[in-house]
Amino acid sequence: MENVTNKPQVKKIYTKLKFTKSKQTGATISFVSQNPKTGEIRGVRQDSPYPKKICLLDKTLVPEILLNTLYDATLIPMASKDGYVVIEVNPVQFKATIETTYVPKAIYQVAVKFGNKTVQFDPKDGRKISVRRLDECRKILETRVDLKNIFDVLDDFDEAAHNLLNKYKQDGFIYRY
């Protein structure tokens, strides 16, 4: 006779989550809420008005997590508490679009848009150094884990930015950086 143990299968839940540090314990946490009509579980912010449950990370995942980054997450219900344990995470990656806006002697902008974020290069009217300087803007893009095909995006951004800078200089402006 075979020794077979009948363990109930744990239902895995798939959703998107962003993680933060708990102010009380310092642990990396997230929250989910269940739609009462559909039963669908979705990630929510801690200050959400909806009823929510906590999501704790499996200890092996803690070093991998970047705070405030969107992840595709796999959850299982906690055995003893009212919440979930995150057993797998993968950063969500978005396809980027690069838009150049050029109006002679007025507007010089290259915008990289992905997800709900925009990284902008504006050598003429950029208020922050990270917007005005090409190398600083590129550094921001290089550190993003949520960009799909990052090397292609960087190449396309470099080409668009250099073309824009050539027009900027042809229009009589001096690029100091």
Side-chain angles (χ1 to χ4, degrees), residues 56 75 83 129 134 148:
L56 300 175
L75 320 171
I129 198 96
L134 179 59
K148 192 179 284 187

Side-chain angles (χ1 to χ4, degrees), residues 127-140:
R127 297 197 188 279
K128 295 189 289 186
I129 198 96
S130 62
V131 174
R132 191 172 219 135
R133 289 184 54 172
L134 179 59
D135 59 337
E136 293 293 324
C137 197
R138 193 175 198 290
K139 273 186 207 172
I140 291 170

Side-chain angles (χ1 to χ4, degrees), residues 104-159:
K105 304 214 184 245
I107 300 173
Y108 302 85
Q109 297 173 346
V110 175
V112 180
K113 297 180 179 184
F114 53 98
N116 63 353
K117 303 225 182 296
T118 301
V119 175
Q120 189 164 319
F121 171 60
D122 186 344
K124 184 175 181 286
D125 296 321
R127 297 197 188 279
K128 295 189 289 186
I129 198 96
S130 62
V131 174
R132 191 172 219 135
R133 289 184 54 172
L134 179 59
D135 59 337
E136 293 293 324
C137 197
R138 193 175 198 290
K139 273 186 207 172
I140 291 170
L141 290 171
E142 288 172 346
T143 61
R144 300 301 304 206
V145 295
D146 50 357
L147 272 173
K148 192 179 284 187
N149 301 326
I150 182 88
F151 296 113
D152 293 338
V153 171
L154 290 172
D155 289 344
D156 293 346
F157 171 74
D158 286 342
E159 183 180 339

Side-chain angles (χ1 to χ4, degrees), residues 3-31:
N3 185 6
V4 178
T5 56
N6 291 332
K7 290 185 180 179
Q9 289 290 333
V10 177
K11 185 177 187 241
K12 292 182 179 178
I13 298 158
Y14 303 95
T15 190
K16 295 189 184 317
L17 297 175
K18 279 189 179 181
F19 295 93
T20 60
K21 284 278 187 199
S22 168
K23 292 176 184 159
Q24 290 85 6
T25 64
T28 305
I29 59 171
S30 189
F31 294 90

Side-chain angles (χ1 to χ4, degrees), residues 26-45:
T28 305
I29 59 171
S30 189
F31 294 90
V32 292
S33 181
Q34 187 171 12
N35 184 316
K37 292 182 181 175
T38 65
E40 186 177 19
I41 294 176
R42 291 198 174 202
V44 293
R45 296 181 190 267

